[in-house]
Amino acid sequence: VLQNCNNQAVVSTQSTGKDEGKTLKELKVVKNSKMMLVGTTMSDLVAVTTKPSSAEIATSTTSTVKKEPLCKQKVHLKVLEKGRPEDAMPGIAGVKQPLPPHPLNGMVNKTGGKVRLTFKLEEDSLWIGTKARTEKISMSNIKNVVNEKIESDPNYHIMGIQLGPTELSIYWVYWVPAQYVDAVKDTILGKWQTFF
């Protein structure tokens, strides 16, 4: 409740700001009027308006947390420690090849179950086949594909296929032959996925 509205000025309003600088009396605000006031402390205001020094910028840049490699993360390490599957397709590091005419097989998922990736280009879909079932996914529904080479065997990669809006929806595939990684990403995301 306002008790004395003669000398108080409006700093800003929700509107276009045409009332800024006018006193409450000029705005015809009377005693006992109810108003909502929103404010901030002077120290918070100063902190927002001052530019950080170059030393502060350098410190914040160097303190950026680097992500731990996928093959060192506990959830992936558990799968990798079981070793490469006996039926894994041969991997060739440093080479890029198009997708073979047959499914990519000999890989495993995060539970260690066998996985087969079949690309149905005429249907624009990816089939992820396991012993239990085959999941048919439209490539337009795949949000992202991430990969990282396996440090202990650079001929193979860990690949994550993001099936939903968050990282929690990533389907992990292990022991993907290195020569097919770029072809898989290009097929799923399109040739120019690096720009998105």
Side-chain angles (χ1 to χ4, degrees), residues 84-92 97-107 115-117 153 155-156 174-180:
R84 184 174 69 224
E86 290 180 17
D87 62 342
M89 296 175 70
I92 308 167
Q97 292 183 348
L99 289 174
H102 52 81
L104 295 177
N105 56 22
M107 301 170 292
V115 174
R116 174 182 62 259
L117 299 179
D153 193 343
N155 293 321
Y156 296 91
Y174 303 85
W175 306 105
V176 179
Q179 70 269 24
Y180 299 126

Side-chain angles (χ1 to χ4, degrees), residues 70 89-100 104 107 117 119 144-150 153-161 173-191 193-194:
L70 293 175
M89 296 175 70
I92 308 167
V95 174
K96 294 181 183 182
Q97 292 183 348
L99 289 174
L104 295 177
M107 301 170 292
L117 299 179
F119 293 88
N144 197 13
V145 178
V146 295
N147 69 287
E148 187 177 291
K149 73 178 175 185
I150 297 172
D153 193 343
N155 293 321
Y156 296 91
H157 282 235
I158 298 172
M159 181 173 283
I161 302 168
V173 182
Y174 303 85
W175 306 105
V176 179
Q179 70 269 24
Y180 299 126
V181 169
D182 286 338
V184 169
K185 291 174 84 169
D186 288 347
T187 302
I188 293 173
L189 300 174
K191 191 78 171 156
Q193 85 275 1
T194 55

